[in-house]
């Protein structure tokens, strides 16, 4: 697979992908260097940094709702651009932080803006890209972001090697400029593609175009915008998706700790398996997106995603204690196989969830619906680390089997909630239904 194969097909999609790459490079640099700076140079205690991050993630859990509502009134594109500029200001402000209060305030600002912007990007992609390309474009953005994040980690090493306050401050200023560039790129993508706007009525004496045929409300968005908090089916799907997103905490919290504390592997081994995850995500994400076009295919893909997720937990449970019993090489091989399975399941789940959440949301209410759906990531960032360290890790193989059970139940619940959207087809025209389509009504 060459790099060009990872990029979206349309011009607007490629511009958005360029913005995603810049975003990921800046975030990668920040994540790799920020804690060292604020603990080592500013003198903030590590536990205080952790407390600020926890509070910021709680705020990030709440921030998508008001900005989703704002996007429903003003449009997703301008709100997304505004949130990106807020992130730019926040990163630049880090260069002037000299105490805990400033760090706490800026961290909360950036986290809230980041969490609120994430679902709006999916709305923007849905507005700018053809229907059959939106999920592939989202997959492209994730693949490009993984590459950009890796590049950011490597660039941060240069800043760390300089070991000077000025170098870290230059990184923060660079990030501020980078997010201004991201905002401009996304804005230009909207202008180039022409974000759809309500059509002006024709003069009474002019030619009158035929009225378009009626289409279902969830596709056309007829009537007033709906609140996702009153849509029980969507709420259930969002909750189940939050449970499935625990695969993120499994990978980044549980696996590194388990490798050192339970499997007896050296600390550096976790970097190897995380690199396996990154490379596989870049390779798989765009490829699997082709199998999630439409709710019916996405639903099948979601069911399939559960298989490798559960398999990975089973492999970890079997590998428990092999580091001390059969040697580091066998233990590491077992871990790599488990992480490969986890990565496959993660990628299948991601593209299925994008497509299903978009299809389940009424068109006029998509910013609000997808903002609610995105809260699952913030929720698992708050609950996941505690769950993994306090319950799953000490429980040994039973803990891994409990996680597998969570994945199984969450998949079944999500599929049950989404099934009506996969069995009732959207009628694109007033033409009679074909026999095949009619059989599903």
């Amino acid at each position: 697979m060459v790099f060009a194969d990872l990029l979206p097909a349309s011009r607007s999609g490629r511009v958005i992908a360029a913005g995603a790459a810049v975003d990921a490079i800046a975030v990668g640099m920040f994540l790799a260097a920020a804690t060292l700076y604020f603990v080592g140079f500013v003198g903030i205690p590590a536990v205080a940094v952790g407390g600020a991050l926890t509070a910021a993630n709680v705020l990030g859990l709440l921030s998508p709702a008001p900005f989703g509502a704002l996007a429903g009134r003003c449009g997703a594109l301008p709100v997304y651009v505004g949130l990106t500029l807020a992130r730019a200001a926040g990163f630049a402000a880090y260069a002037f932080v000299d105490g805990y209060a400033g760090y706490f305030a800026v961290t909360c600002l950036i986290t809230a803006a980041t969490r609120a912007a994430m679902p709006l990007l999916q709305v923007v992609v849905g507005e700018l890209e053809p229907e059959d390309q939106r999920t592939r474009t989202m997959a492209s953005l994730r693949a490009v972001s993984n590459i950009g994040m890796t590049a950011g980690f490597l660039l941060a090493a240069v800043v760390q090697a300089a070991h000077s306050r000025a170098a870290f401050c230059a990184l923060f200023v660079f990030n501020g400029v980078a997010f201004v560039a991201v905002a401009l790129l996304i804005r230009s993508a909207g202008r180039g593609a022409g974000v759809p706007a309500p059509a002006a009525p024709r003069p009474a004496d002019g030619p009158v175009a035929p009225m378009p045929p009626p289409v279902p409300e969830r596709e056309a968005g007829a009537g007033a915008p709906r609140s996702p908090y009153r849509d029980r089916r969507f709420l259930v799907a969002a909750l189940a998706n939050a449970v499935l997103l625990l695969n993120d905490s499994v990978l980044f919290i549980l696996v590194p700790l388990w490798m050192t504390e339970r499997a007896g592997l050296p600390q550096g081994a976790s970097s190897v398996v995380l690199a396996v995850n990154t490379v596989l995500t870049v390779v798989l994400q765009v490829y699997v997106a082709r199998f999630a076009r439409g709710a019916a295919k996405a639903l099948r893909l979601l069911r399939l995603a559960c298989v490798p997720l559960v398999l990975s937990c089973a492999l970890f449970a079997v590998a428990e204690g092999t580091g001390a019993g059969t040697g580091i090489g066998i233990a590491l091989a077992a871990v790599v196989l488990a992480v490969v399975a986890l990565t496959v399941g993660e990628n299948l789940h991601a593209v299925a969830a994008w497509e299903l959440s978009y299809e389940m949301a009424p068109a006029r209410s998509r910013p609000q619906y997808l903002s609610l759906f995105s809260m699952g990531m913030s929720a698992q960032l708050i609950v996941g680390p505690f769950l993994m360290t306090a319950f799953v890790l000490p429980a040994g193989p039973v803990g891994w089997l409990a996680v597998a059970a969570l994945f199984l139940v969450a998949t079944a619940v999500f599929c049950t909630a989404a099934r009506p959207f996969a069995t009732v087809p959207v009628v694109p025209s007033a033409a009679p239904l074909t026999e095949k389509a009619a059989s599903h009504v």
Side-chain angles (χ1 to χ4, degrees), residues 102-144:
Y103 173 75
F104 184 92
V106 175
T107 300
C108 287
L109 167 68
I110 292 176
T111 304
T114 301
R115 296 286 183 268
M118 287 168 57
L120 298 185
L121 181 60
Q122 185 181 356
V123 180
V124 170
V125 169
E127 291 176 347
L128 301 185
E129 292 288 84
E131 182 178 350
D132 63 343
Q133 289 295 314
R134 64 170 181 256
T135 297
R136 185 191 184 281
T137 297
M138 288 297 297
S140 297
L141 299 187
R142 192 165 188 244
V144 169

mmCIF file of all heavy atoms in Angstrom, residues 102-144:
data_model
loop_
_atom_site.group_PDB
_atom_site.id
_atom_site.type_symbol
_atom_site.label_atom_id
_atom_site.label_comp_id
_atom_site.label_asym_id
_atom_site.label_seq_id
_atom_site.Cartn_x
_atom_site.Cartn_y
_atom_site.Cartn_z
ATOM 1 N N GLY A 102 -2.623 28.308 35.969
ATOM 2 C CA GLY A 102 -2.606 28.513 34.523
ATOM 3 C C GLY A 102 -2.639 27.201 33.771
ATOM 4 O O GLY A 102 -3.345 27.064 32.761
ATOM 5 N N TYR A 103 -1.868 26.224 34.264
ATOM 6 C CA TYR A 103 -1.860 24.910 33.616
ATOM 7 C C TYR A 103 -3.247 24.278 33.653
ATOM 8 O O TYR A 103 -3.722 23.729 32.661
ATOM 9 C CB TYR A 103 -0.843 23.999 34.306
ATOM 10 C CG TYR A 103 -0.894 22.571 33.819
ATOM 11 C CD1 TYR A 103 -0.365 22.216 32.586
ATOM 12 C CD2 TYR A 103 -1.490 21.576 34.595
ATOM 13 C CE1 TYR A 103 -0.423 20.917 32.126
ATOM 14 C CE2 TYR A 103 -1.552 20.270 34.153
ATOM 15 C CZ TYR A 103 -1.018 19.945 32.916
ATOM 16 O OH TYR A 103 -1.094 18.648 32.462
ATOM 17 N N PHE A 104 -3.903 24.362 34.799
ATOM 18 C CA PHE A 104 -5.230 23.776 34.957
ATOM 19 C C PHE A 104 -6.222 24.427 33.987
ATOM 20 O O PHE A 104 -6.979 23.731 33.292
ATOM 21 C CB PHE A 104 -5.704 23.964 36.404
ATOM 22 C CG PHE A 104 -7.016 23.313 36.711
ATOM 23 C CD1 PHE A 104 -7.064 22.026 37.207
ATOM 24 C CD2 PHE A 104 -8.210 23.987 36.501
ATOM 25 C CE1 PHE A 104 -8.279 21.419 37.497
ATOM 26 C CE2 PHE A 104 -9.431 23.393 36.779
ATOM 27 C CZ PHE A 104 -9.464 22.105 37.284
ATOM 28 N N ALA A 105 -6.215 25.750 33.915
ATOM 29 C CA ALA A 105 -7.181 26.461 33.068
ATOM 30 C C ALA A 105 -6.965 26.154 31.589
ATOM 31 O O ALA A 105 -7.916 25.875 30.846
ATOM 32 C CB ALA A 105 -7.077 27.966 33.316
ATOM 33 N N VAL A 106 -5.715 26.189 31.152
ATOM 34 C CA VAL A 106 -5.436 25.964 29.731
ATOM 35 C C VAL A 106 -5.715 24.520 29.352
ATOM 36 O O VAL A 106 -6.255 24.229 28.271
ATOM 37 C CB VAL A 106 -3.977 26.347 29.406
ATOM 38 C CG1 VAL A 106 -3.640 25.995 27.962
ATOM 39 C CG2 VAL A 106 -3.754 27.837 29.637
ATOM 40 N N THR A 107 -5.376 23.580 30.227
ATOM 41 C CA THR A 107 -5.635 22.164 29.947
ATOM 42 C C THR A 107 -7.129 21.902 29.809
ATOM 43 O O THR A 107 -7.562 21.166 28.906
ATOM 44 C CB THR A 107 -5.042 21.280 31.058
ATOM 45 O OG1 THR A 107 -3.631 21.489 31.119
ATOM 46 C CG2 THR A 107 -5.307 19.811 30.797
ATOM 47 N N CYS A 108 -7.922 22.507 30.673
ATOM 48 C CA CYS A 108 -9.377 22.341 30.579
ATOM 49 C C CYS A 108 -9.910 22.943 29.283
ATOM 50 O O CYS A 108 -10.780 22.347 28.623
ATOM 51 C CB CYS A 108 -10.055 22.986 31.786
ATOM 52 S SG CYS A 108 -9.848 22.052 33.328
ATOM 53 N N LEU A 109 -9.383 24.111 28.897
ATOM 54 C CA LEU A 109 -9.818 24.752 27.646
ATOM 55 C C LEU A 109 -9.528 23.869 26.440
ATOM 56 O O LEU A 109 -10.408 23.615 25.603
ATOM 57 C CB LEU A 109 -9.114 26.107 27.484
ATOM 58 C CG LEU A 109 -9.209 26.759 26.088
ATOM 59 C CD1 LEU A 109 -10.643 27.177 25.801
ATOM 60 C CD2 LEU A 109 -8.263 27.938 25.964
ATOM 61 N N ILE A 110 -8.299 23.378 26.353
ATOM 62 C CA ILE A 110 -7.900 22.589 25.189
ATOM 63 C C ILE A 110 -8.675 21.270 25.144
ATOM 64 O O ILE A 110 -9.155 20.857 24.073
ATOM 65 C CB ILE A 110 -6.385 22.329 25.213
ATOM 66 C CG1 ILE A 110 -5.621 23.629 24.981
ATOM 67 C CG2 ILE A 110 -5.994 21.299 24.150
ATOM 68 C CD1 ILE A 110 -4.124 23.504 25.076
ATOM 69 N N THR A 111 -8.817 20.609 26.284
ATOM 70 C CA THR A 111 -9.506 19.322 26.298
ATOM 71 C C THR A 111 -10.974 19.487 25.933
ATOM 72 O O THR A 111 -11.526 18.694 25.152
ATOM 73 C CB THR A 111 -9.382 18.663 27.686
ATOM 74 O OG1 THR A 111 -7.989 18.539 28.019
ATOM 75 C CG2 THR A 111 -10.029 17.285 27.693
ATOM 76 N N ALA A 112 -11.630 20.503 26.488
ATOM 77 C CA ALA A 112 -13.042 20.738 26.167
ATOM 78 C C ALA A 112 -13.220 21.040 24.680
ATOM 79 O O ALA A 112 -14.136 20.517 24.032
ATOM 80 C CB ALA A 112 -13.586 21.894 27.009
ATOM 81 N N ALA A 113 -12.333 21.873 24.123
ATOM 82 C CA ALA A 113 -12.437 22.216 22.696
ATOM 83 C C ALA A 113 -12.155 20.995 21.820
ATOM 84 O O ALA A 113 -12.825 20.783 20.798
ATOM 85 C CB ALA A 113 -11.463 23.348 22.364
ATOM 86 N N THR A 114 -11.186 20.189 22.218
ATOM 87 C CA THR A 114 -10.844 18.996 21.436
ATOM 88 C C THR A 114 -11.992 18.002 21.415
ATOM 89 O O THR A 114 -12.375 17.487 20.357
ATOM 90 C CB THR A 114 -9.587 18.323 22.012
ATOM 91 O OG1 THR A 114 -8.497 19.252 21.982
ATOM 92 C CG2 THR A 114 -9.214 17.090 21.208
ATOM 93 N N ARG A 115 -12.573 17.714 22.580
ATOM 94 C CA ARG A 115 -13.665 16.754 22.635
ATOM 95 C C ARG A 115 -14.903 17.251 21.896
ATOM 96 O O ARG A 115 -15.632 16.473 21.286
ATOM 97 C CB ARG A 115 -14.027 16.454 24.101
ATOM 98 C CG ARG A 115 -12.925 15.790 24.883
ATOM 99 C CD ARG A 115 -12.750 14.331 24.491
ATOM 100 N NE ARG A 115 -11.723 13.728 25.324
ATOM 101 C CZ ARG A 115 -10.432 13.670 25.019
ATOM 102 N NH1 ARG A 115 -10.022 14.151 23.874
ATOM 103 N NH2 ARG A 115 -9.564 13.112 25.827
ATOM 104 N N ALA A 116 -15.155 18.546 21.971
ATOM 105 C CA ALA A 116 -16.318 19.098 21.267
ATOM 106 C C ALA A 116 -16.117 19.085 19.758
ATOM 107 O O ALA A 116 -17.079 18.945 18.990
ATOM 108 C CB ALA A 116 -16.596 20.522 21.752
ATOM 109 N N ALA A 117 -14.861 19.234 19.310
ATOM 110 C CA ALA A 117 -14.582 19.309 17.871
ATOM 111 C C ALA A 117 -14.626 17.948 17.195
ATOM 112 O O ALA A 117 -14.966 17.843 16.013
ATOM 113 C CB ALA A 117 -13.213 19.956 17.647
ATOM 114 N N MET A 118 -14.298 16.889 17.934
ATOM 115 C CA MET A 118 -14.183 15.559 17.319
ATOM 116 C C MET A 118 -15.440 15.114 16.569
ATOM 117 O O MET A 118 -15.356 14.734 15.391
ATOM 118 C CB MET A 118 -13.806 14.522 18.376
ATOM 119 C CG MET A 118 -12.358 14.603 18.859
ATOM 120 S SD MET A 118 -12.039 13.599 20.333
ATOM 121 C CE MET A 118 -12.545 11.983 19.767
ATOM 122 N N PRO A 119 -16.623 15.152 17.172
ATOM 123 C CA PRO A 119 -17.805 14.711 16.419
ATOM 124 C C PRO A 119 -18.183 15.659 15.289
ATOM 125 O O PRO A 119 -18.763 15.238 14.290
ATOM 126 C CB PRO A 119 -18.901 14.663 17.486
ATOM 127 C CG PRO A 119 -18.462 15.629 18.523
ATOM 128 C CD PRO A 119 -16.973 15.518 18.555
ATOM 129 N N LEU A 120 -17.848 16.940 15.436
ATOM 130 C CA LEU A 120 -18.203 17.899 14.388
ATOM 131 C C LEU A 120 -17.390 17.653 13.124
ATOM 132 O O LEU A 120 -17.854 17.939 12.017
ATOM 133 C CB LEU A 120 -17.997 19.332 14.887
ATOM 134 C CG LEU A 120 -18.867 19.735 16.083
ATOM 135 C CD1 LEU A 120 -18.671 21.203 16.414
ATOM 136 C CD2 LEU A 120 -20.341 19.439 15.806
ATOM 137 N N LEU A 121 -16.174 17.120 13.277
ATOM 138 C CA LEU A 121 -15.400 16.772 12.086
ATOM 139 C C LEU A 121 -16.112 15.689 11.287
ATOM 140 O O LEU A 121 -16.128 15.727 10.051
ATOM 141 C CB LEU A 121 -14.000 16.310 12.488
ATOM 142 C CG LEU A 121 -13.073 15.930 11.333
ATOM 143 C CD1 LEU A 121 -12.862 17.104 10.390
ATOM 144 C CD2 LEU A 121 -11.738 15.417 11.854
ATOM 145 N N GLN A 122 -16.720 14.733 11.969
ATOM 146 C CA GLN A 122 -17.474 13.694 11.270
ATOM 147 C C GLN A 122 -18.664 14.305 10.524
ATOM 148 O O GLN A 122 -18.988 13.899 9.404
ATOM 149 C CB GLN A 122 -17.963 12.633 12.256
ATOM 150 C CG GLN A 122 -18.650 11.443 11.580
ATOM 151 C CD GLN A 122 -19.156 10.418 12.563
ATOM 152 O OE1 GLN A 122 -18.941 10.538 13.774
ATOM 153 N NE2 GLN A 122 -19.833 9.400 12.080
ATOM 154 N N VAL A 123 -19.331 15.298 11.139
ATOM 155 C CA VAL A 123 -20.438 15.980 10.464
ATOM 156 C C VAL A 123 -19.931 16.719 9.238
ATOM 157 O O VAL A 123 -20.546 16.678 8.164
ATOM 158 C CB VAL A 123 -21.147 16.946 11.428
ATOM 159 C CG1 VAL A 123 -22.298 17.662 10.715
ATOM 160 C CG2 VAL A 123 -21.678 16.209 12.645
ATOM 161 N N VAL A 124 -18.795 17.419 9.379
ATOM 162 C CA VAL A 124 -18.223 18.166 8.251
ATOM 163 C C VAL A 124 -17.884 17.210 7.109
ATOM 164 O O VAL A 124 -18.187 17.494 5.938
ATOM 165 C CB VAL A 124 -16.971 18.951 8.706
ATOM 166 C CG1 VAL A 124 -16.227 19.522 7.499
ATOM 167 C CG2 VAL A 124 -17.365 20.074 9.656
ATOM 168 N N VAL A 125 -17.274 16.091 7.428
ATOM 169 C CA VAL A 125 -16.953 15.105 6.389
ATOM 170 C C VAL A 125 -18.227 14.618 5.708
ATOM 171 O O VAL A 125 -18.283 14.487 4.477
ATOM 172 C CB VAL A 125 -16.167 13.920 6.999
ATOM 173 C CG1 VAL A 125 -16.063 12.771 5.998
ATOM 174 C CG2 VAL A 125 -14.773 14.372 7.407
ATOM 175 N N GLY A 126 -19.271 14.361 6.485
ATOM 176 C CA GLY A 126 -20.536 13.925 5.906
ATOM 177 C C GLY A 126 -21.158 14.962 4.997
ATOM 178 O O GLY A 126 -21.828 14.619 4.013
ATOM 179 N N GLU A 127 -20.951 16.235 5.298
ATOM 180 C CA GLU A 127 -21.506 17.305 4.462
ATOM 181 C C GLU A 127 -20.704 17.519 3.182
ATOM 182 O O GLU A 127 -21.261 17.883 2.151
ATOM 183 C CB GLU A 127 -21.545 18.614 5.262
ATOM 184 C CG GLU A 127 -22.559 18.621 6.394
ATOM 185 C CD GLU A 127 -22.488 19.898 7.211
ATOM 186 O OE1 GLU A 127 -21.492 20.649 7.057
ATOM 187 O OE2 GLU A 127 -23.417 20.158 8.000
ATOM 188 N N LEU A 128 -19.398 17.310 3.257
ATOM 189 C CA LEU A 128 -18.536 17.633 2.119
ATOM 190 C C LEU A 128 -18.262 16.454 1.201
ATOM 191 O O LEU A 128 -17.949 16.657 0.026
ATOM 192 C CB LEU A 128 -17.197 18.192 2.617
ATOM 193 C CG LEU A 128 -17.244 19.460 3.481
ATOM 194 C CD1 LEU A 128 -15.832 19.929 3.785
ATOM 195 C CD2 LEU A 128 -18.034 20.556 2.799
ATOM 196 N N GLU A 129 -18.358 15.244 1.732
ATOM 197 C CA GLU A 129 -18.002 14.071 0.944
ATOM 198 C C GLU A 129 -19.250 13.357 0.417
ATOM 199 O O GLU A 129 -20.311 13.389 1.048
ATOM 200 C CB GLU A 129 -17.198 13.085 1.803
ATOM 201 C CG GLU A 129 -15.815 13.600 2.187
ATOM 202 C CD GLU A 129 -14.878 13.605 1.008
ATOM 203 O OE1 GLU A 129 -14.907 14.586 0.229
ATOM 204 O OE2 GLU A 129 -14.132 12.632 0.852
ATOM 205 N N PRO A 130 -19.144 12.681 -0.731
ATOM 206 C CA PRO A 130 -20.267 11.859 -1.215
ATOM 207 C C PRO A 130 -20.605 10.778 -0.206
ATOM 208 O O PRO A 130 -19.750 10.338 0.567
ATOM 209 C CB PRO A 130 -19.732 11.254 -2.528
ATOM 210 C CG PRO A 130 -18.587 12.124 -2.923
ATOM 211 C CD PRO A 130 -17.995 12.651 -1.654
ATOM 212 N N GLU A 131 -21.853 10.342 -0.244
ATOM 213 C CA GLU A 131 -22.325 9.368 0.745
ATOM 214 C C GLU A 131 -21.491 8.099 0.752
ATOM 215 O O GLU A 131 -21.209 7.530 1.809
ATOM 216 C CB GLU A 131 -23.794 9.031 0.472
ATOM 217 C CG GLU A 131 -24.400 8.055 1.463
ATOM 218 C CD GLU A 131 -25.866 7.773 1.185
ATOM 219 O OE1 GLU A 131 -26.458 8.470 0.345
ATOM 220 O OE2 GLU A 131 -26.403 6.836 1.808
ATOM 221 N N ASP A 132 -21.069 7.649 -0.428
ATOM 222 C CA ASP A 132 -20.324 6.393 -0.490
ATOM 223 C C ASP A 132 -18.851 6.560 -0.133
ATOM 224 O O ASP A 132 -18.094 5.591 -0.139
ATOM 225 C CB ASP A 132 -20.459 5.765 -1.885
ATOM 226 C CG ASP A 132 -19.867 6.643 -2.974
ATOM 227 O OD1 ASP A 132 -19.641 7.857 -2.713
ATOM 228 O OD2 ASP A 132 -19.632 6.144 -4.087
ATOM 229 N N GLN A 133 -18.431 7.798 0.166
ATOM 230 C CA GLN A 133 -17.032 8.039 0.487
ATOM 231 C C GLN A 133 -16.803 8.512 1.919
ATOM 232 O O GLN A 133 -15.661 8.582 2.365
ATOM 233 C CB GLN A 133 -16.456 9.101 -0.476
ATOM 234 C CG GLN A 133 -16.280 8.624 -1.891
ATOM 235 C CD GLN A 133 -15.241 7.527 -1.998
ATOM 236 O OE1 GLN A 133 -14.161 7.614 -1.426
ATOM 237 N NE2 GLN A 133 -15.566 6.469 -2.732
ATOM 238 N N ARG A 134 -17.882 8.851 2.664
ATOM 239 C CA ARG A 134 -17.670 9.505 3.953
ATOM 240 C C ARG A 134 -16.951 8.598 4.953
ATOM 241 O O ARG A 134 -16.053 9.063 5.676
ATOM 242 C CB ARG A 134 -18.996 10.018 4.523
ATOM 243 C CG ARG A 134 -20.021 8.943 4.852
ATOM 244 C CD ARG A 134 -21.203 9.511 5.630
ATOM 245 N NE ARG A 134 -22.146 8.457 5.946
ATOM 246 C CZ ARG A 134 -23.298 8.262 5.319
ATOM 247 N NH1 ARG A 134 -23.649 9.074 4.337
ATOM 248 N NH2 ARG A 134 -24.097 7.272 5.672
ATOM 249 N N THR A 135 -17.322 7.310 5.007
ATOM 250 C CA THR A 135 -16.668 6.427 5.971
ATOM 251 C C THR A 135 -15.221 6.155 5.557
ATOM 252 O O THR A 135 -14.329 6.084 6.408
ATOM 253 C CB THR A 135 -17.446 5.110 6.102
ATOM 254 O OG1 THR A 135 -18.758 5.403 6.608
ATOM 255 C CG2 THR A 135 -16.754 4.153 7.059
ATOM 256 N N ARG A 136 -14.970 6.026 4.252
ATOM 257 C CA ARG A 136 -13.592 5.844 3.803
ATOM 258 C C ARG A 136 -12.752 7.073 4.149
ATOM 259 O O ARG A 136 -11.590 6.964 4.541
ATOM 260 C CB ARG A 136 -13.544 5.595 2.297
ATOM 261 C CG ARG A 136 -12.130 5.278 1.810
ATOM 262 C CD ARG A 136 -11.992 5.297 0.306
ATOM 263 N NE ARG A 136 -10.650 4.890 -0.096
ATOM 264 C CZ ARG A 136 -9.576 5.673 -0.058
ATOM 265 N NH1 ARG A 136 -9.684 6.927 0.385
ATOM 266 N NH2 ARG A 136 -8.392 5.224 -0.434
ATOM 267 N N THR A 137 -13.340 8.269 3.988
ATOM 268 C CA THR A 137 -12.606 9.485 4.320
ATOM 269 C C THR A 137 -12.297 9.532 5.812
ATOM 270 O O THR A 137 -11.182 9.894 6.215
ATOM 271 C CB THR A 137 -13.406 10.727 3.899
ATOM 272 O OG1 THR A 137 -13.567 10.714 2.474
ATOM 273 C CG2 THR A 137 -12.684 12.005 4.304
ATOM 274 N N MET A 138 -13.260 9.161 6.661
ATOM 275 C CA MET A 138 -12.994 9.122 8.098
ATOM 276 C C MET A 138 -11.875 8.121 8.407
ATOM 277 O O MET A 138 -11.008 8.387 9.248
ATOM 278 C CB MET A 138 -14.263 8.728 8.848
ATOM 279 C CG MET A 138 -15.338 9.817 8.885
ATOM 280 S SD MET A 138 -14.816 11.314 9.754
ATOM 281 C CE MET A 138 -14.542 10.698 11.397
ATOM 282 N N ALA A 139 -11.880 6.991 7.711
ATOM 283 C CA ALA A 139 -10.814 6.015 7.903
ATOM 284 C C ALA A 139 -9.471 6.578 7.453
ATOM 285 O O ALA A 139 -8.432 6.361 8.096
ATOM 286 C CB ALA A 139 -11.138 4.737 7.135
ATOM 287 N N SER A 140 -9.482 7.320 6.350
ATOM 288 C CA SER A 140 -8.248 7.951 5.874
ATOM 289 C C SER A 140 -7.707 8.933 6.910
ATOM 290 O O SER A 140 -6.498 8.989 7.157
ATOM 291 C CB SER A 140 -8.506 8.687 4.556
ATOM 292 O OG SER A 140 -8.885 7.801 3.537
ATOM 293 N N LEU A 141 -8.606 9.699 7.515
ATOM 294 C CA LEU A 141 -8.169 10.667 8.518
ATOM 295 C C LEU A 141 -7.517 9.963 9.701
ATOM 296 O O LEU A 141 -6.523 10.440 10.243
ATOM 297 C CB LEU A 141 -9.356 11.501 9.002
ATOM 298 C CG LEU A 141 -10.092 12.340 7.949
ATOM 299 C CD1 LEU A 141 -11.127 13.236 8.615
ATOM 300 C CD2 LEU A 141 -9.122 13.176 7.135
ATOM 301 N N ARG A 142 -8.083 8.810 10.095
ATOM 302 C CA ARG A 142 -7.503 8.079 11.226
ATOM 303 C C ARG A 142 -6.136 7.512 10.865
ATOM 304 O O ARG A 142 -5.200 7.528 11.678
ATOM 305 C CB ARG A 142 -8.446 6.955 11.656
ATOM 306 C CG ARG A 142 -8.073 6.324 12.982
ATOM 307 C CD ARG A 142 -9.228 5.502 13.521
ATOM 308 N NE ARG A 142 -8.949 5.055 14.886
ATOM 309 C CZ ARG A 142 -8.818 3.794 15.249
ATOM 310 N NH1 ARG A 142 -8.928 2.836 14.347
ATOM 311 N NH2 ARG A 142 -8.593 3.470 16.491
ATOM 312 N N ALA A 143 -6.001 6.993 9.647
ATOM 313 C CA ALA A 143 -4.706 6.458 9.216
ATOM 314 C C ALA A 143 -3.660 7.566 9.143
ATOM 315 O O ALA A 143 -2.526 7.408 9.634
ATOM 316 C CB ALA A 143 -4.859 5.775 7.856
ATOM 317 N N VAL A 144 -4.031 8.691 8.526
ATOM 318 C CA VAL A 144 -3.101 9.820 8.418
ATOM 319 C C VAL A 144 -2.743 10.342 9.801
ATOM 320 O O VAL A 144 -1.588 10.721 10.066
ATOM 321 C CB VAL A 144 -3.729 10.928 7.542
ATOM 322 C CG1 VAL A 144 -2.926 12.213 7.635
ATOM 323 C CG2 VAL A 144 -3.809 10.467 6.097
#
